[in-house]
Amino acid sequence: MKVPGGGRFCTTLFRACYRDTGLRMNSPGFSMTQVRVRFAPSPTGLLHIGGVRTALFNWLFARQQKGVFILRIEDTDQSRSTDESIQAIIDGMKWVGLDWDEGPFRQTERMELYRSHAMKLLEKGHAYWCVCKAAELEARRKEAETKGLSPRYDGRCRNLGIANPSGDAALRFKAPQEGRTVVDDLIKGKIAFDNNVLDDLIILRSNDYPTYNFSVVVDDALMNITHVVRGDDHLTNTPRQIPIFEALGFPVPRFGHLPMILGSDKARLSKRHGATSIMAYRDMGYLPDAMVNYLVRLGWSHGDQELFTRQELIEKFSWKNVQTSAAVFNPDKLLWLNAEYIKTSPPDRVAQALVPFLEGAGLQDEVRAMSADWLAQLVVLVKERAKTLVEMVDWVRPYFGQSVTLDEEAAKKFLSPAMAPILGKLLARFEAFPAFSKQEWEDSFKKFVEEEGMKMGQLAQPVRVALTGRTASPGLFEVMEVLGRDRTLFRLRKGIERASHA
RNA sequence: GUCCCCAUCGUCUAGCCUGGCCUAGGACAUUGCCCUUUCAAGGCAGUAACACGGGUUCAAAUCCCGUUGGGGACACCA
């Protein structure tokens, strides 16, 4: 239930103490508690973009508050956690440039902590042994569901007082059954839950491993997490976790629940909506900065601004401007942003990111033969035409190597026998220049077109095909500049050859 | 079924807290035009939204209630 009069914008006074944590840090008179946040993914697959966005908000807040950002791997699910997934998380975080200050911690390395705290709860009477079998529980849940009842645990072992269970038993937390738990959410405001909807959740499995709802609490408490910021899907876990903090005698952190990312059909984003792994976007030729910009803007805004540097993001971020509703992931806008970043990022950086793609396309020798400066020049040549690095590979291909592969249709259309003598004359003019000069060659070209009584396009297209092999390319004279005098003349001669033998 | 969250153009959003400046602004996509040696990029213009119903008020996108719709959670998953 939404608390009346509470919520996100309740009163100015109230807001001051919970919305603007930034003020707290900066205003004198408040105790300087350092912000400590964490990203706690489970290693059960690839790092997906929703996870990256959660990490991003945490990271932004930590950096802005000069706080600490912790990476914690929640791998207490033995059957689903893998080392490859842990590596995927680390690789993904590094690729988008989200550096952490502590960790990565693995929960499986902290087992004793969970077990000892669980025993503490048992001793204090906050927990009890449950000897119900998993299969029985499952059956009862199904039955309750078909009867239209709540599929909660019925609490049958709660008052049995089992002290030394034989065989496998699980430890359950004695959840409060009365009153209400109020969550004061950073993003959604005050939310109240009636405790009577709570059931006694298992905190220690019969295999001695802790469950999620218990290990998060122990870790968040022990790691002194001040703000637990996670996906919306955890909102209803919060009233289950708060009583555990309390039973353990730990202070309760602030919570913030980020709205979900949806697919085009408004269902929670999943594989069937297309690529969801962050690394898939790297492979599709997206720049990490574009990815970050897109993901942050999906659910957060700063007036009408669309493009942000990382520094701006850190400075301008605030919980107040985080959206409360879910957002549909829009690949078109991401693509536009990527194109924007390709156009405006330093060309040498784009070139650097492009190299692996060129190598992947079989151009490793060609790339090695060229200088970094030339590569950057190449990026400048095609940057407003390629929306991804993958597309850029295709645009850039004609500029490697001495000769060029002619597109058959283009050659047939533009390198006709009738063109041969005209191209020959143009070649002679260019050959007269001892060195390439964009301005001079362009003037000469235009003068030639005029003298011949041609239209610009009539000559430009055949030359374009001769130089690039295709009918679409950047400006002719920029192309020549990147090719250089020798290759320009060489390819022109080859083009004439082809035209005369057509 | 129960509980929780959410609701402005097709999409991301501004505006909502502190009602009037909103004949609702920006961005992506889309349409048309301009520029032009091709392809882009760029420039200009256009189409397009306050879910619905009740209140409160001189005045509601903004506050309250309800309805509808969407999403999430209810595991010895996280």
Side-chain angles (χ1 to χ4, degrees):
Chain A
M1 177 213 292
K2 194 86 187 173
V3 176
R8 200 166 189 208
F9 304 118
C10 45
T11 69
T12 324
L13 188 79
F14 190 50
R15 189 175 66 194
C17 57
Y18 88 106
R19 291 292 302 184
D20 304 323
T21 317
L23 286 176
R24 211 193 261 177
M25 291 301 292
N26 299 329
S27 39
F30 274 104
S31 68
M32 295 288 278
T33 329
Q34 190 178 37
V35 165
R36 291 175 63 85
V37 293
R38 85 306 195 272
F39 174 51
S42 64
T44 53
L46 298 164
L47 179 61
H48 60 93
I49 50 184
V52 172
R53 193 177 64 141
T54 302
L56 206 42
F57 284 126
N58 276 289
W59 182 86
L60 250 20
F61 184 55
R63 292 295 167 261
Q64 178 187 74
Q65 301 297 318
K66 308 261 180 283
V68 175
F69 177 58
I70 298 168
L71 178 60
R72 186 173 76 215
I73 309 292
E74 312 232 319
D75 58 347
T76 55
D77 183 350
Q78 279 237 285
S79 54
R80 298 201 306 150
S81 299
T82 65
D83 287 349
E84 296 78 70
S85 298
I86 294 179
Q87 196 52 49
I89 288 164
I90 291 172
D91 292 344
M93 294 288 284
K94 283 186 176 165
W95 183 65
V96 287
L98 297 185
D99 54 329
W100 52 92
D101 307 301
E102 293 178 17
F105 296 106
R106 292 183 59 161
Q107 291 191 317
T108 45
E109 286 165 356
R110 300 163 60 81
M111 287 303 167
E112 278 321 304
L113 262 14
Y114 312 125
R115 286 170 190 153
S116 59
H117 283 86
M119 288 311 123
K120 214 175 279 178
L121 287 181
L122 179 65
E123 280 161 31
K124 289 200 281 183
H126 289 301
Y128 62 91
W129 292 110
C130 172
V131 293
C132 297
K133 297 272 176 283
E136 296 168 8
L137 258 13
E138 178 71 25
R140 275 184 240 151
R141 199 176 311 121
K142 282 238 170 77
E143 198 190 325
E145 249 169 77
T146 49
K147 279 187 187 163
L149 295 170
S150 195
R152 314 183 316 171
Y153 174 64
D154 59 11
R156 67 177 62 191
C157 295
R158 187 176 219 202
N159 298 313
L160 260 36
I162 301 165
N164 292 300
S166 54
D168 45 340
L171 195 66
R172 281 190 192 267
F173 178 68
K174 234 180 234 179
Q177 296 298 296
E178 283 159 18
R180 54 212 308 241
T181 300
V182 178
V183 180
D184 196 1
D185 198 89
L186 245 10
I187 292 158
K188 308 208 187 228
K190 279 199 172 188
I191 305 159
F193 297 84
D194 277 325
N195 289 139
N196 59 25
V197 303
L198 264 28
D199 61 351
D200 293 344
L201 40 89
I202 288 178
I203 56 178
L204 222 51
R205 300 178 171 97
S206 51
N207 68 2
D208 231 20
Y209 273 71
T211 54
Y212 164 76
N213 275 308
F214 186 60
S215 54
V216 249
V217 170
V218 172
D219 278 341
D220 285 339
L222 261 29
M223 293 179 184
N224 294 311
I225 300 300
T226 54
H227 303 253
V228 172
V229 178
R230 70 244 288 201
D232 223 348
D233 47 342
H234 285 290
L235 188 54
T236 51
N237 278 328
T238 312
R240 298 152 152 289
Q241 292 168 6
I242 288 174
I244 301 180
F245 277 98
E246 286 166 345
L248 249 16
F250 289 126
V252 179
R254 292 300 316 275
F255 292 93
H257 291 92
L258 265 5
M260 303 270 88
I261 299 180
L262 273 25
S264 50
D265 59 355
K266 306 235 175 178
R268 192 179 175 160
L269 192 68
S270 71
K271 313 102 233 150
R272 80 198 149 77
H273 295 109
T276 54
S277 145
I278 188 73
M279 288 318 228
Y281 286 87
R282 178 196 62 181
D283 297 343
M284 288 189 283
Y286 287 85
L287 262 18
D289 284 343
M291 231 36 229
V292 165
N293 197 144
Y294 178 73
L295 255 16
V296 177
R297 267 294 279 109
L298 191 61
W300 175 83
S301 60
H302 185 78
D304 288 340
Q305 193 172 348
E306 296 286 352
L307 300 163
F308 299 84
T309 64
R310 230 173 256 224
Q311 196 50 43
E312 278 180 302
L313 250 20
I314 292 171
E315 284 163 12
K316 294 176 172 172
F317 179 77
S318 85
W319 299 118
K320 183 172 169 286
N321 296 313
V322 173
Q323 196 73 6
T324 50
S325 52
V328 173
F329 182 80
N330 182 355
D332 276 340
K333 189 153 184 181
L334 171 62
L335 192 62
W336 169 77
L337 255 167
N338 201 51
E340 236 18 68
Y341 272 88
I342 284 178
K343 278 183 285 187
T344 57
S345 297
D348 59 310
R349 286 231 332 254
V350 177
Q352 210 179 335
L354 181 65
V355 168
F357 290 89
L358 293 172
E359 289 173 347
L363 293 166
Q364 47 272 84
D365 293 340
E366 287 85 346
V367 169
R368 219 164 297 138
M370 306 313 280
S371 70
D373 280 353
W374 183 82
L375 240 36
Q377 196 190 342
L378 196 54
V379 166
V380 173
L381 183 70
V382 302
K383 66 179 184 179
E384 62 271 321
R385 277 155 250 263
K387 290 182 190 295
T388 67
L389 295 177
V390 169
E391 283 181 24
M392 191 176 270
V393 170
D394 192 50
W395 273 104
V396 113
R397 213 183 217 114
Y399 309 100
F400 290 98
Q402 182 67 11
S403 52
V404 71
T405 311
L406 298 178
D407 174 75
E408 264 316 304
E409 245 179 81
K412 214 172 279 174
K413 184 168 178 194
F414 292 105
L415 297 177
S416 58
M419 275 314 295
I422 301 163
L423 289 174
K425 277 198 204 166
L426 178 71
L427 175 67
R429 294 211 174 193
F430 282 164
E431 281 175 325
F433 289 106
F436 179 82
S437 150
K438 197 179 152 211
Q439 192 57 55
E440 284 176 12
W441 288 43
E442 183 168 352
D443 289 346
S444 162
F445 186 99
K446 285 184 171 158
K447 212 171 133 209
F448 178 72
V449 166
E450 210 175 301
E451 286 169 16
E452 293 292 319
M454 300 174 82
K455 285 200 172 146
M456 185 68 175
Q458 287 178 286
L459 185 61
Q461 281 307 77
V463 171
R464 186 182 316 282
V465 173
L467 296 183
T468 68
R470 340 218 259 217
T471 54
S473 84
L476 265 192
F477 307 100
E478 283 80 41
V479 164
M480 292 180 190
E481 189 170 36
V482 164
L483 248 23
R485 181 179 187 271
D486 291 351
R487 284 198 294 163
T488 299
L489 297 180
F490 178 84
R491 290 184 181 191
L492 218 40
R493 272 183 222 115
K494 284 280 190 188
I496 294 164
E497 243 172 70
R498 162 71 198 238
S500 37
H501 294 124

